Amino acid sequence: MGLPHVLAVPYPAQGHVIPLMELCHCLVDHGFKVTFINTEFNHKRVLTALSAGSTMKQITLVTVPDGLGPEEDRNDLARLTEAFMNVMPRCLEELIEKSRETEDPMTCMLVDYSMGWALEVGRKKSLQSAAFWPAAAQMLATLLSVPELVSRGVIDGDGSPISEHETFQLGPGMPFINASHFIWNLIGGGRTKEIIFNCILNSNRVIDVAEFIICNSFKEIEEPTFCYNPKILPIGPLLTGLRPSRAVGYFWPEDAACLSWLDEQQQGSVVYVAFGSFTIFDRLQFQEFALGLEATGRPFLWVVRPDLTSDSADAYPDGFKERVGDRGKIVAWAPQQKVLAHPSVACFVSHCGWNSTMEGVRNGKLFLCWPYFADQFLNQSYICDDWKVGLRLTPDESGIVKREQIKSKVEELLPNEEMTARASTLKETAQRNIKEGGASFENLKTFIDAIKAQHSNLKNKLSV
Ligand code: UDP
């Protein structure tokens, strides 16, 4: 038996694949071999998007079907979840069995919490396992506490909030959460909600199989949560996207030209705008937002994914592109982690996905928050109320964030020295955590040492 061999199972979405891929790069640096699962659909996208010269050193990409037909909508999370549960468990079992015919059999599984069913496969096949959570530890602690929330009368047995408007606090010092923002309550009613809620309940049922629960966060930003649930170990912020020549796992090809455009801008001048991989804008809001960016008078870099709005290509207000000229750079997908590390970027207009949040924090950036979905509302309150490094963009009575607000919030945010000082302190704290001796560094080491020891035990057993 050669190298310790990990089977990595991400949830098939961009915000899950990127951080797990980074964690796998860390494992490779510590002498592991990794088999990384992608659905066939996502695998094609990852390969197409791979930038020239980037590698997957010691990571083998393997595909499994997701159970959906070629034309079905992969953004329909309930349908996707239901479909892959039907086909993936058997595929994983076969992969594990096949690896036993090689000199590096799989000994450990690294499973996204949202793919909890895979922990059951691991148990069946006697693999050691760890669960990975790519969002705020607070959100995981809350999901793991669903039975408690039911008994406290926060949600009913189907996960619906008892009161739409009330917030609750899981434990002392923890942020307030609105149960109507739980993913299953936002995704649609009936069967759709049931599938997602059951998926969470199932993950909770099997989570004890995992010897470790690790997450991309760090101690100081969620301290009350780590006290509330000490089983959750922070190992972040993961340095996604900052390894020269290692693949990030993008689903869209990055437009690296925006980095040379940033080189030409003044330090601390650019408004960077990106809403992750999933957010959708209606055409009216898209146009209003464009006019807001124009009104700031500042240089901006704006990620407009091809599916950000209907007809992204011609949805811009009349004459917008001509008027902003070279002051505005628009790309379909940015190498975001490098963008946020660039000194020209002043602030980040973000949907507050957790990866984006961590990437902004670790680079000491200020945020304008525009959450779209689920845990992004929690992340917004962390940014604005706890860490105090950002401001909210708030829709008016008609549900629209108007151009005047975008302009005035950018003007309010950028000269704010207190926020800037707090953002720099957060950046330093983040960096201290992942250096030798830092809490996240030590947690990662504990995790890695444990799976290596297990590997040696198994090796000894097999050679007796
Ligand atoms: N991202 C990127 N380029 C872009 C937009 C997003 O590299 O133009 C990356 C971003 O850095 C983050 C991920 O995509 O790592 C999005 O994850 P997040 O949790 O922020 O949001 P989600 O897409 O899950 O809503």
Side-chain angles (χ1 to χ4, degrees), residues 216-218 220-222 236-239 336-337 340-341 348 350 353-367 369 379 382-384 387-390 419-431 433:
N216 181 19
S217 180
F218 56 100
E220 289 81 354
I221 50 168
E222 300 200 83
L238 289 166
L239 292 179
Q336 177 163 303
Q337 304 84 6
L340 285 168
F348 183 12
S350 171
W354 185 253
N355 294 295
S356 296
T357 303
M358 282 299 92
E359 290 156 8
V361 161
R362 77 172 196 235
N363 286 297
K365 300 298 182 213
L366 299 179
F367 291 83
C369 301
N379 305 339
Y382 265 146
I383 293 169
C384 300
W387 314 331
K388 299 191 175 70
V389 294
M419 276 199 198
T420 307
R422 279 192 292 269
S424 304
T425 309
L426 265 187
K427 176 181 175 178
E428 283 161 23
T429 313
Q431 288 178 350
N433 260 280

Side-chain angles (χ1 to χ4, degrees), residues 15 18 250 276-277 303 333-334 336-337 351 353-356 359 376:
I18 291 176
Y250 288 150
S277 60
V303 178
W333 189 256
Q336 177 163 303
Q337 304 84 6
H351 72 310
W354 185 253
N355 294 295
S356 296
E359 290 156 8
Q376 296 155 14

Side-chain angles (χ1 to χ4, degrees), residues 29-236:
D29 289 345
H30 285 87
F32 286 78
K33 173 177 171 172
V34 175
T35 295
F36 193 98
I37 300 293
N38 271 317
T39 61
E40 286 160 1
F41 183 81
N42 288 341
H43 179 73
K44 278 194 204 119
R45 302 168 84 189
V46 169
L47 288 192
T48 311
L50 264 188
S51 48
S54 62
T55 65
M56 294 275 177
K57 191 180 163 205
Q58 289 295 354
I59 299 180
T60 308
L61 296 182
V62 171
T63 67
V64 286
D66 61 13
L68 292 178
E71 299 306 324
E72 284 191 79
D73 177 11
R74 267 79 188 171
N75 286 341
D76 179 342
L77 297 183
R79 178 78 193 97
L80 175 67
T81 302
E82 186 177 49
F84 67 59
M85 300 259 266
N86 286 332
V87 292
M88 280 197 197
R90 186 66 219 132
C91 295
L92 288 203
E93 281 188 36
E94 282 168 12
L95 274 172
I96 296 167
E97 280 160 19
K98 244 169 110 188
S99 83
R100 292 188 169 154
E101 293 159 17
T102 70
E103 62 164 23
D104 295 320
M106 293 166 182
T107 45
C108 178
M109 263 177 127
L110 185 52
V111 174
D112 193 303
Y113 163 86
S114 307
M115 303 293 268
W117 55 267
L119 292 169
E120 283 180 308
V121 173
R123 170 167 54 192
K124 196 166 153 198
K125 293 285 164 196
S126 310
L127 257 62
Q128 189 190 23
S129 58
F132 175 68
W133 176 246
Q138 159 71 27
M139 191 41 74
L140 178 59
T142 309
L143 297 179
L144 291 170
S145 303
V146 161
E148 187 194 320
L149 298 181
V150 174
S151 61
R152 274 172 58 180
V154 173
I155 51 174
D156 66 19
D158 300 325
S160 302
I162 303 290
S163 155
E164 288 276 333
H165 303 293
E166 265 178 42
T167 55
F168 70 93
Q169 205 181 14
L170 197 56
M174 290 165 85
F176 285 86
I177 293 189
N178 185 330
S180 57
H181 291 157
F182 286 145
I183 186 163
W184 58 83
N185 286 325
L186 289 171
I187 206 158
R191 181 87 186 111
T192 302
K193 174 179 168 186
E194 193 183 320
I195 293 168
I196 299 297
F197 188 54
N198 283 341
C199 170
I200 301 293
L201 294 182
N202 185 49
S203 290
N204 287 351
R205 214 172 25 248
V206 294
I207 194 80
D208 284 341
V209 171
E211 285 165 51
F212 288 89
I213 306 177
I214 49 182
C215 73
N216 181 19
S217 180
F218 56 100
K219 187 170 146 248
E220 289 81 354
I221 50 168
E222 300 200 83
E223 203 140 18
T225 301
F226 296 119
C227 293
Y228 180 86
N229 190 336
K231 277 198 201 151
I232 305 175
L233 282 189
I235 57 154

Side-chain angles (χ1 to χ4, degrees), residues 430-441:
Q431 288 178 350
R432 210 174 41 244
N433 260 280
I434 50 175
K435 289 214 175 99
E436 193 160 358
S440 289
F441 179 95

